[in-house]
Amino acid sequence: MTRGAVSDAGETRGFFVTLEGGEGAGKSTQALLLKEWLEASGRRTLVTREPGGSAQGEALRSLLITGAAERWDPISETLLHFAARREHLRATIRPALAQGRWVVCDRFADSTMAYQHFGQGVAADFIEGLYDTVVGSEGPALTLVLDLDPELGFARIAARTGDGGRYEEMDRAFHRRVHEGFRTIAEGAPERCIVISADADVWTVQARLRAAIEARLGPIANG
Ligand SMILES: Nc1ncnc2c1ncn2[C@@H]1O[C@H](COP(=O)(O)OP(=O)(O)OP(=O)(O)O)[C@@H](O)[C@H]1O
Ligand SMILES: [Mg+2]
């Protein structure tokens, strides 16, 4: 049975879904609205984020997203992301799924492939090897990629205060590579990834996300 489906006995199991996409695509906004929807249907839901999501992960987050853009060597940076991810899985994601919760994670390993491989040139094999060891079979069952022109994403976040500083400092060409990278990742994993156009108002995008989840899992309402 697919995790998250309702069994014959009526129990609901945990389900791991990730939201991916570039800066300002709407991941954090949409994650909270998905939680409202899932909880209204009786599914206990945890929204969490990367880098971060646990005490150790959040400590590493502050090292990763603050300071100068060139602060880290890209391989060091990749290792830090996977260290944070390991702690996030161990302390937060795995226990929540074991309790039957849905986990909606704002960025996960696809962001490392998009930013560190497509954006910064770290070898894809290196990242895939780390994924196998750090995440293995515990990765998301579904990934929703919010697709938005990076220029529009930057326009959205121009007025927003937040802690996303360091990656936002990287140049436009970098963000275009990241954007294309997410599309390439999704094309390579169609059984897991669904690309959602994010160039619409918040509730239109939310409706697209909900429809995508139901297309994979069946009706959510009253589940
Ligand atoms: N569909 C939308 N249309 C217009 N503005 C939006 C939309 N979705 C989100 N916003 C606004 O754009 C900004 C960026 O949204 P949000 O923080 O959800 O993006 P994000 O993908 O989480 O960004 P980051 O990658 O920086 O974490 C916020 O100020 C949010 O209120
Ligand atoms: Mg965000």
Side-chain angles (χ1 to χ4, degrees):
M1 188 179 78
T2 306
R3 281 184 302 161
V6 178
S7 73
D8 292 342
E11 94 244 19
T12 305
R13 305 230 184 130
F15 188 82
F16 184 16
V17 55
T18 56
L19 287 177
E20 295 280 8
E23 317 285 317
K27 302 174 294 298
S28 303
T29 302
Q30 297 296 337
L32 294 175
L33 297 176
L34 282 179
K35 176 184 163 93
E36 281 181 17
W37 177 61
L38 291 164
E39 295 216 316
S41 77
R43 290 165 172 79
R44 290 186 303 154
T45 303
L46 174 73
V47 172
T48 186
R49 68 174 182 180
E50 291 212 343
S54 71
Q56 312 310 330
E58 290 290 330
L60 289 166
R61 177 186 179 91
S62 67
L63 295 175
L64 282 160
I65 72 165
T66 63
E70 65 281 8
R71 179 179 187 182
W72 298 108
D73 164 81
I75 290 178
S76 305
E77 183 159 349
T78 301
L79 292 167
L80 286 169
H81 276 291
F82 272 102
R85 184 160 300 130
R86 181 75 179 172
E87 293 301 312
H88 187 201
L89 270 170
R90 184 177 69 84
T92 304
I93 296 172
R94 191 185 297 154
L97 292 171
Q99 292 165 5
R101 290 176 191 265
W102 274 59
V103 174
V104 177
C105 190
D106 180 350
R107 295 193 183 278
F108 194 68
D110 296 318
S111 281
T112 310
M113 188 61 84
Y115 282 69
Q116 274 66 56
H117 169 61
F118 288 98
Q120 295 181 309
V122 173
D125 286 359
F126 176 67
I127 294 174
E128 285 163 1
L130 288 169
Y131 186 95
D132 288 345
T133 301
V134 169
V135 181
S137 63
E138 295 185 84
L142 179 63
T143 296
L144 303 166
V145 178
L146 292 177
D147 186 72
L148 187 70
D149 184 311
E151 298 299 332
L152 295 177
F154 279 110
R156 283 184 185 176
I157 63 181
R160 186 195 65 184
T161 55
D163 61 358
R166 185 167 161 263
Y167 288 110
E168 289 170 20
E169 293 303 312
M170 296 180 184
D171 64 29
R172 292 297 195 261
F174 169 84
H175 288 288
R176 282 195 296 275
R177 292 196 298 277
V178 168
H179 178 231
E180 281 303 316
F182 277 121
R183 290 181 168 181
T184 302
I185 291 165
E187 280 167 18
E191 69 295 343
R192 174 175 65 84
C193 297
I194 303 175
V195 177
I196 309 282
S197 172
D199 184 9
D201 67 86
V202 168
W203 283 102
T204 299
V205 176
Q206 179 65 197
R208 290 172 183 168
L209 292 171
R210 292 178 183 183
I213 291 172
E214 291 194 315
R216 289 293 168 104
L217 298 181
I220 293 292
N222 306 315

